[in-house]
Amino acid sequence: MNNCDPLALTTAVNTLAVAVASRLNDEDLDLVAAVFVQLGDTLATIAAQRARCRPEK
């Protein structure tokens, strides 16, 4: 994704969240939210590790 417009990104994420939430009951929404939090945290950990292990130029 090369679009640097933060408004476009936040709007897209918000739209996706509303679409997902509208199709789930409260119990399933809780689980999906927890899964996405864990996914985000794990991706952040991987990104930090890559940045740290990247050879310096």
Side-chain angles (χ1 to χ4, degrees):
M1 178 184 301
N2 291 329
N3 187 346
C4 293
D5 179 8
L7 182 58
L9 179 59
T10 57
T11 300
V13 171
N14 183 63
T15 302
L16 178 60
V18 170
V20 169
S22 71
R23 289 164 175 78
L24 299 174
N25 62 40
D26 290 346
E27 188 175 275
D28 291 340
L29 182 57
D30 285 340
L31 178 60
V32 169
V35 167
F36 279 120
V37 167
Q38 182 177 355
L39 175 63
D41 289 347
T42 302
L43 289 172
T45 300
I46 292 168
Q49 182 182 24
R50 283 185 182 180
R52 193 166 178 192
C53 296
R54 186 176 303 130
E56 293 189 28
K57 293 181 181 181

